[in-house]
Amino acid sequence: MFGYRNDFDRTLAIMDQLRRRMDRAFDDVDRSGAPEPATGGVPRVRFHDTGNAFVLKADLPGVREADLSVSLEQDVLTLAGQRRGDAPEGYAAYRQERAPFRFSRSFALPTKVDPEKTSAVLEHGVLTVTLEKAAEVKPRQIAVRVG
Amino acid sequence: MAREIQSQERHPTAPLVDVYENDKEILLIADLPGVSKDSLTIRADGDTLTLEARRAEVPIGTPLTREFQTQDFSRTFGISPSIDRDRIEAKLEGGVLHLHLPKRAPVTPRKIPVRVG
């Protein structure tokens, strides 16, 4: 058993080494515990404008649907929720990079959206919120007639 | 130019992991948001274990914020010879991977009879 532990220590040393190499190679690696950038927060999001709608995507691995709330008030979208700790019972922890967290983030939308035409889907740990723009701000094609 | 952006997005990032151990196994838990079963490859090769995952996310519309890019995942671990490669089990749910690495049954010390020559 003792020999086994040594093997595992060696494993951790290799893991550390790789991790450091990774961190050097990619300066935008997401690291829990590192201070959040002033403009960002948890979760980080991607916001897209498809013309007719805004689409927000947020990485929320391990967040259960029941622990997640998405709300829209006027033109402010709020995401709130938590990820619970998922440490298994009866195990010794060797490495814990994945921390439980709580979050609440609000986003002011650039234009009005139609509250009746919104959807939120959580799939593979990614939340996708689709907000259709209000009719009056949707891009409109203007037919050109020959005068 | 489009190709350059593409190649930037293909730089893999290391997923965050937890590593646990009990008498029977090592349990590795990794955050792999946006990864489906089909885009995940787990390879146990010699004394290394490699996780590789592609995020198949089609860009939509015009990006308004760019807090992060979707990146593929890749991370390699050293594994002890006492891990039974053939019984490794993986479960992927909600963007979280549970990888069970069972230990081989401990080798019982063998008694070597000494004969008088």
Side-chain angles (χ1 to χ4, degrees):
Chain A
M1 204 56 206
F2 188 64
Y4 181 76
R5 297 247 178 239
N6 279 346
D7 276 340
F8 198 79
D9 286 343
R10 195 170 58 91
T11 303
L12 288 182
I14 294 167
M15 282 163 66
D16 271 333
Q17 205 181 359
L18 279 162
R19 180 94 196 152
R20 275 198 299 275
R21 248 183 250 167
M22 282 291 198
D23 289 351
R24 268 206 305 276
F26 309 111
D27 49 358
D28 56 347
V29 162
D30 176 31
R31 304 204 298 149
S32 61
E36 291 298 331
T39 54
V42 175
R44 291 181 305 174
V45 299
R46 282 156 285 153
F47 233 118
H48 302 271
D49 185 345
T50 66
N52 283 329
F54 297 111
V55 179
L56 173 140
K57 281 177 181 276
D59 281 359
L60 294 168
V63 173
R64 287 183 222 147
E65 201 186 305
D67 290 331
L68 183 62
S69 109
V70 180
S71 57
L72 182 68
E73 203 182 322
Q74 306 275 19
D75 53 355
V76 175
L77 174 73
T78 302
L79 310 181
Q82 64 166 317
R83 172 160 96 170
R84 296 170 192 272
D86 57 0
E89 299 234 335
Y91 287 80
Y94 277 100
R95 170 161 299 232
Q96 287 180 301
E97 298 169 354
R98 307 166 55 253
F101 56 83
R102 281 173 183 277
F103 62 92
S104 175
R105 278 193 85 179
S106 295
F107 306 91
L109 300 167
T111 67
K112 270 191 184 170
V113 294
D114 186 339
E116 303 302 320
K117 292 177 181 165
T118 59
S119 71
V121 179
L122 185 62
E123 193 188 25
H124 301 312
V126 177
L127 173 71
T128 303
V129 183
T130 307
L131 306 139
E132 205 163 304
K133 292 180 189 175
E136 66 260 34
V137 295
K138 275 187 191 172
R140 207 158 300 186
Q141 200 70 36
I142 295 154
V144 180
R145 287 186 308 160
V146 180
Chain B
M1 193 59 198
R3 184 169 299 154
E4 199 181 314
I5 289 165
Q6 183 71 21
S7 75
Q8 269 176 10
E9 286 176 353
R10 285 295 156 212
H11 275 315
T13 185
L16 297 178
V17 301
D18 290 345
V19 180
Y20 298 96
E21 184 186 10
N22 67 8
D23 296 344
K24 294 190 175 65
E25 63 172 12
I26 288 175
L27 172 60
L28 189 147
I29 307 178
D31 280 346
L32 296 170
V35 172
S36 66
K37 199 179 87 176
D38 301 329
S39 55
L40 174 64
T41 312
I42 302 162
R43 260 199 331 266
D45 189 11
D47 59 355
T48 63
L49 178 85
T50 303
L51 306 182
E52 270 174 347
R54 289 180 80 83
R55 295 191 65 164
E57 199 169 274
V58 185
I60 30 167
T62 321
L64 297 178
T65 62
R66 227 196 160 88
E67 292 184 359
F68 72 113
Q69 297 180 332
T70 49
Q71 287 177 303
D72 293 339
F73 294 106
S74 175
R75 196 162 172 184
T76 301
F77 307 91
I79 50 170
S80 145
S82 62
I83 298 297
D84 189 345
R85 271 69 171 160
D86 298 331
R87 291 195 298 130
I88 295 176
E89 271 179 35
K91 194 184 79 179
L92 185 62
E93 199 183 346
V96 178
L97 172 73
H98 282 72
L99 192 59
H100 296 271
L101 305 156
K103 297 176 188 175
R104 284 183 220 279
V107 183
T108 40
R110 209 155 53 106
K111 253 193 185 155
I112 298 154
V114 181
R115 286 187 306 161
V116 179

